[in-house]
Amino acid sequence: MNVLLTPLTAGTLPLPNRLVMAPMTRSRASGGLVTGLTAEYYAQRAGAGLIITEGTQPCVIGQGYIDTPGLHTPEQAAAWRVVTDAVHSRGGRIFVQLMHSGRIGHPSLYPDGSRPLAPSAIPSGEKLYTPDGLLDHPEPREMTLADIARAIDDFVASARLAMEAGFDGVELHGASGYLIHQFLAGNTNRRTDAYGGPIANRLRFAVEVARAVGDAIGPERVGIRLSPGSTLNGIRESDTELLYPELIRALVPAGLAYVHISEFGTRDITKVIRAEWPGTLILNPHPAGDAPATAADGVEALRDDVADAISLGQLWLANPDLPERIAAGGPFTAADPASFYGGDHRGYTDYPTSAEA
């Protein structure tokens, strides 16, 4: 397991180990504001090589779930500053994941009751969980060229706020069926303009966002998360094997800090991306299914040289001192699914370290 504990550099940021805390939605940000409890949660896990925060909306219309945090107002940036200061005070490093949900949204989330935006007016077929029950995602409004330009500007403005809030960088969420992924996939992008149709057009939005954010805050502070072959949120890719190598080749000149792959039983495409991407590659390893990734999965990926660092989710959630536990060979606490989303400190900041246990 010691291979997970060796140092690495992502962009220009030195990481003390290769254990990345994966982004995990926790739905504890009422009104879009993180709290002191959020600061405690992330600071407890400052031993990670890199923390990537939960998905954070870069604009009002980018919100996809209740009680998720935003980063598009000075008040939100000030709240996040408490989090980054807490993490840095314990020697940690933290990127914020900027997540525009696109069609995975609902009018009830937006003050003006507008419909969510998407590349094309195709509903997800999924539902939004609310305190009042499940609500169907509506048919989204197809984005105009002005909407696309505004969305890119929103990512840039949010990234700049992230720097003011003290983050070490930002991760662009291009995975799991959210807006960037919706532009990539043929079943959610039926456009006939420069942003739809052939692969070169469908990847245009992802590349333009990455370049614009990199130009604004420095590409060495920008990563992107991708999930080749994922079917989350109604996504269906018909050309995964062609799409992602072409996307990676288009991203190489942007000089990003890293590419972060959320594997979906697709080790073959992971290997292809590894061969195409010359920089740091972070992998959330799921070579044969969707069970929570383990430290052993990470060791295998590093030894097979399909990744430089490993992101883990549930292990970090329930084991705030994960590097120490790996060094000692365990034991590992199991996460409680009942407390994943919403609630208070229970299942959030009350998981003990091994010493406390």
Side-chain angles (χ1 to χ4, degrees), residues 146-192:
D147 290 326
I148 292 172
R150 189 174 304 112
I152 295 172
D153 288 344
D154 287 338
F155 274 107
V156 169
S158 187
R160 287 186 170 131
L161 275 180
M163 297 299 98
E164 294 179 20
F167 283 102
D168 297 295
V170 305
E171 177 177 280
L172 306 173
H173 200 340
S176 305
Y178 300 116
L179 183 64
I180 293 175
H181 200 180
Q182 291 161 27
F183 271 93
L184 295 173
N187 79 312
T188 48
N189 184 349
R190 304 285 178 81
R191 302 177 71 93
T192 57

Side-chain angles (χ1 to χ4, degrees), residues 32-34 56 69-85 157-167:
L33 288 172
V34 293
T56 301
L71 187 50
H72 50 85
T73 70
E75 184 183 15
Q76 291 167 345
W80 274 117
R81 184 80 204 204
V82 177
V83 176
T84 61
D85 284 349
S158 187
R160 287 186 170 131
L161 275 180
M163 297 299 98
E164 294 179 20
F167 283 102

Side-chain angles (χ1 to χ4, degrees), residues 47-123:
L50 176 65
I51 293 171
I52 305 171
T53 74
E54 60 214 275
T56 301
Q57 54 263 14
C59 54
V60 171
I61 199 69
Q63 185 173 358
Y65 303 97
I66 61 171
D67 294 336
T68 53
L71 187 50
H72 50 85
T73 70
E75 184 183 15
Q76 291 167 345
W80 274 117
R81 184 80 204 204
V82 177
V83 176
T84 61
D85 284 349
V87 171
H88 290 149
S89 72
R90 299 197 190 180
R93 295 135 303 276
I94 183 167
F95 273 39
V96 62
Q97 187 189 67
L98 300 183
M99 182 178 102
H100 191 309
S101 296
R103 70 177 187 168
I104 307 301
H106 195 275
S108 65
L109 296 171
Y110 316 128
D112 63 359
S114 59
R115 285 187 293 159
L117 301 177
S120 300
I122 302 170

